[in-house]
Amino acid sequence: MAGREPTACLDMTGVLPGRWIPVFALGACLCVSAVAEEGGEATVGEFNSKIQPLLEHYCYDCHGEGTAKGDVSLDDSGKGAQHLDNRELWLRIWKNLRTDLMPPAKKDQPTADERAELIAWIERKVFGLDPANPDPGRVTLHRLNRVEYGHSIEDILGVKFNVNDAFPPDDTGYGFDTIGDVLSISPLLMEKYLAVAERIMAQAIPLEAGRPQAANIDPGQMRNEKNRSRSARFMRAGSAHRAGTVWDVKTAGRHRLAISYQVVTQSGGKDANATWRVLIDDRELASRPISFENSRTKSFELELSPVLEKGPRRLEFEMVPGKGATSANVPLAVKVLSVVMTGPADAMAWDSYPESVRRIIDGGPPPEGAAEREQYARKILRRLATRAYRQPVEEETLDRLIALAKVKWEAEGQFVAGIRFALTAVLSSPDFLLRGELPGKGEVRAVPLDEYALATRLSYFLWSSAPDQALLDEAGAGKLRTNLRANVDRMLADPKAERFIRNFVGQWLQIRELDGRIFDTPLLLGIKDGNRARQIFNLYTRQDMVRETQLFFAHILKENRLAVELITADYAFVNDRLATFYGVAGIQGKEFRKVSLEGNSRQGGILTQGSFLLTTSNPDRTSPVKRGLYVLDNLLGVPPPPPPPNIPALEDAKEKLGKDATVEELMEHHRSQPLCHSCHAKLDPIGLALERYNALGQWREGEKFETSGALVTGEKFVGVGGLREVLAGPRKKDFHRCLTEKLLTYAVGRGVEYYDAPVVDGIIKQAETAGGGLREFLYGVVESVPFQMKRAE
């Protein structure tokens, strides 16, 4: 059919305004002379001369000339390919061409040049994509998700706050909780933010911390240095001895010591007496006579003079026997009931504040003068509000914060109370809670983000938190965009990069919530004793599996190893517990370490890690469908459409095939159903290739598990080893595209759209040219138009 010329053309403008429809001898092929409004004569000519013949040759067997598989007819007069404004149809064509899903593997395939020509023409002429004037997309103004909120609080104020108890779980979009469109604020949630801000500041700046603190010293712990059995709980008058302890003076100043004691005696001690002394560092503070006549409970307070300096001090009680106290058995003694040290009593103790206070009020105690205090407060609030707002705070806003602080100074007279009140307002501010950029203005479609906005995007991408001072300083100097890669390297070397591993990998590979999954462990292990089964596989095993995947990804990222090594690696990260569960011998110790799997029946990479295998299993068996869907969606980026409603469960097939039917037989029966075949032809071969591993991730021996299959794109494989080779070989381009799109989605906060195709292709080309290292893909994302620019009005 390729290259066939029309025999006639009729003016059908009365039927379809603005279009000419040619009539062919066979009446099957429609050609466009005047296309959608955005088209022109050049586009018409290209469609007629280049695109239409390719569609005829490769697509019309199933989607033209009277056939319409999948309800797609490319030559339909009302909604066929000649209607360039039929965006839905052209998106389907473009996606299938881009992923090699169409034409089907058994059909005649276009050459690489023909496929590239079709894709490029659709992007340029139908979608109107212009690499010289790209569309960065729209990112909705959105709130911080609860993970970002918690890390921002920790990094700005130095306070760890349990956000999981304070806020409901965040919604997700496109698999991630960083998507702007789902991160809205309801009135109820805003009330929570206001209440939580007060709780956080009460934790960060506890007002009572600066007041003199009482330290209770246990008399039972005050013991004799030579005879440790003697304590201040009971000091006999007939024995000369001491009982003491070392007390650490944290703040120099005047302290007060409050002591409560009881003189215990019997009739035999009537004639005895003694002197009971209180000492610090061998210096007597006070003494009290002990005798039968004063046998009752007493209390006294001492103001310690001179001033106690910081450091360890030995506090002691000493018994000095007097007249009549001739032996240790004299029935006269002192029983110390309580010892309380308070201080310093003459001033607020700055050093007694917790670290969070000294981090927030970082210049030490406030000055005495009112004007100086206000200037000090302005400096503190400027620094913290700039961190929280992620850009320099405006002077008008700063004036309002100072006014709030003054309210507390006038009411309570405490400097820290004013700072606390003003920072509560900062944490309740939209400038802190919300992320987003106002649209830019210009003749072009995209304008660069200012560098503070770029710093914010970069920091929340790699650290899930507000920018640190170094990022803000570079943004303020206008150097961040120039030094972007150096900052990425610095941030990935920081311990806070663990958050990126935990959050991105946890959501991309769906392992973040693995702790909550329920499995029938005795059934899956074939052990009737439930306790024994849970000793083999339990919560710690799951946590080890998640940690294995995190360390694996982190290693490839930090070493900039090939991204495809995520699939092909011949090593794993295990400790002794996980190695024993996997059947990997020779590993001892609780620490995770990199272990070679060369020569081991178990292979490396994501596909054989317990976290993946558990995530894609049912509670009581493996699930080839889930495993196949996972690979298509998360590694190849070509998920099938959702299943139709009321599809019977796989187990229902056992009624026909018998209870001893294998999973492969059940899948074959399920796949034979008309409603199920189209999707399961894509899913099942992948999932069945992974049957070597049971639902808990353990290797299974036996030829019945070595299943062969083929991808829908035609590549054949045998078992998980063959599948790994296909994914890392002929389908590597799909894996790279999927990885890039997942990173871009997580980083920017929106789904990847058709207009992002040139960006995605550019990132992949740049990364592959640089060697294909995983870090190269991150560089490409942060240097891309969607990450660095915003839409112009």
Side-chain angles (χ1 to χ4, degrees), residues 319-521:
M319 184 64 73
V320 180
K323 184 179 177 180
T326 56
S327 72
N329 295 324
V330 172
L332 178 67
V334 169
K335 183 178 182 180
V336 180
L337 302 177
S338 66
V339 181
V340 179
M341 185 76 78
T342 306
D346 53 350
M348 299 290 283
W350 187 252
D351 289 344
S352 69
Y353 279 111
E355 182 183 351
S356 60
V357 177
R358 286 177 273 126
R359 175 173 175 170
I360 292 168
I361 305 174
D362 62 341
E368 295 296 330
E372 290 79 7
R373 283 194 168 211
E374 181 175 328
Q375 287 303 313
Y376 185 37
R378 184 174 291 272
K379 179 181 177 182
I380 293 168
L381 293 174
R382 185 190 302 278
R383 172 176 55 85
L384 293 173
T386 295
R387 285 289 310 278
Y389 297 161
R390 306 176 284 275
Q391 61 182 351
V393 61
E394 297 178 353
E395 289 300 320
E396 183 181 357
T397 301
L398 192 56
D399 289 341
R400 292 173 180 170
L401 293 175
I402 292 294
L404 288 174
K406 285 182 177 179
V407 170
K408 287 295 182 180
W409 295 340
E410 294 170 359
E412 300 181 19
Q414 256 190 298
F415 180 81
V416 292
I419 299 297
R420 170 168 144 172
F421 192 48
L423 288 177
T424 302
V426 169
L427 299 187
S428 307
S429 167
D431 288 333
F432 172 66
L433 296 175
L434 300 180
R435 286 183 56 200
E437 303 86 26
L438 294 175
K441 294 183 179 181
E443 296 295 327
V444 294
R445 184 177 294 172
V447 294
L449 295 173
D450 70 74
E451 295 220 340
Y452 287 112
L454 182 59
T456 295
R457 282 196 176 182
L458 184 62
S459 187
Y460 280 102
F461 176 34
L462 298 181
W463 284 348
S464 297
S465 181
D468 66 357
Q469 195 59 50
L471 280 176
L472 293 175
D473 289 344
E474 289 226 341
K479 296 180 180 179
L480 177 59
R481 193 169 264 107
T482 304
N483 300 330
L484 201 57
R485 288 201 178 195
N487 276 285
V488 170
D489 292 339
R490 176 182 71 86
M491 294 172 73
L492 290 178
D494 192 283
K496 288 185 287 188
E498 175 71 19
R499 301 167 185 174
F500 170 72
I501 306 297
R502 187 167 58 248
N503 295 319
F504 171 71
V505 175
Q507 293 180 88
W508 171 37
L509 300 182
Q510 301 175 9
I511 63 174
R512 196 165 68 168
E513 308 298 334
L514 194 57
D515 286 359
R517 295 288 304 278
I518 297 175
F519 294 94
D520 190 338
T521 305

Side-chain angles (χ1 to χ4, degrees), residues 193-413:
Y193 277 122
L194 294 172
V196 165
E198 293 179 349
R199 289 167 55 191
I200 289 172
M201 290 315 306
Q203 180 180 338
I205 304 180
L207 299 182
E208 66 279 1
R211 300 187 175 98
Q213 298 294 298
N216 290 298
I217 300 172
D218 183 2
Q221 298 301 316
M222 299 180 70
R223 296 184 176 273
N224 184 273
E225 289 185 310
K226 295 180 179 180
N227 184 355
R228 299 293 296 172
S229 64
R230 290 184 171 182
S231 77
R233 285 288 186 196
F234 198 81
M235 302 183 70
R236 293 185 177 275
S239 174
H241 68 285
R242 290 184 180 185
T245 188
V246 174
W247 179 68
D248 190 25
V249 179
K250 297 186 179 300
T251 305
R254 295 187 179 278
H255 292 68
R256 294 188 67 82
L257 182 62
I259 301 170
S260 177
Y261 68 101
Q262 181 181 8
V263 177
V264 181
T265 186
Q266 295 178 0
S267 57
K270 193 170 184 178
D271 296 327
N273 63 77
T275 301
W276 186 64
R277 305 171 67 209
V278 182
L279 307 98
I280 281 189
D281 294 339
D282 286 329
R283 174 171 57 86
E284 182 179 297
L285 299 177
S287 65
R288 294 290 185 272
I290 305 300
S291 65
F292 184 84
E293 286 75 15
N294 57 16
S295 58
R296 61 182 184 273
T297 300
K298 297 183 178 183
S299 298
F300 62 93
E301 288 191 15
L302 301 173
E303 184 170 328
L304 307 189
S305 181
V307 169
L308 288 183
E309 299 298 330
K310 289 178 64 174
R313 297 287 177 264
R314 183 163 184 82
L315 172 64
E316 292 180 298
F317 298 131
E318 181 183 24
M319 184 64 73
V320 180
K323 184 179 177 180
T326 56
S327 72
N329 295 324
V330 172
L332 178 67
V334 169
K335 183 178 182 180
V336 180
L337 302 177
S338 66
V339 181
V340 179
M341 185 76 78
T342 306
D346 53 350
M348 299 290 283
W350 187 252
D351 289 344
S352 69
Y353 279 111
E355 182 183 351
S356 60
V357 177
R358 286 177 273 126
R359 175 173 175 170
I360 292 168
I361 305 174
D362 62 341
E368 295 296 330
E372 290 79 7
R373 283 194 168 211
E374 181 175 328
Q375 287 303 313
Y376 185 37
R378 184 174 291 272
K379 179 181 177 182
I380 293 168
L381 293 174
R382 185 190 302 278
R383 172 176 55 85
L384 293 173
T386 295
R387 285 289 310 278
Y389 297 161
R390 306 176 284 275
Q391 61 182 351
V393 61
E394 297 178 353
E395 289 300 320
E396 183 181 357
T397 301
L398 192 56
D399 289 341
R400 292 173 180 170
L401 293 175
I402 292 294
L404 288 174
K406 285 182 177 179
V407 170
K408 287 295 182 180
W409 295 340
E410 294 170 359
E412 300 181 19

Side-chain angles (χ1 to χ4, degrees), residues 595-630:
V595 175
S596 173
L597 296 177
E598 187 175 354
N600 196 290
S601 57
R602 187 180 195 92
Q603 295 171 296
I606 292 171
L607 295 178
T608 64
Q609 290 179 0
S611 60
F612 155 73
L613 296 165
L614 256 67
T615 297
T616 55
S617 293
N618 288 331
D620 58 349
R621 62 169 176 82
T622 60
S623 175
V625 173
K626 289 183 179 180
R627 290 179 175 178
L629 176 60
Y630 183 103

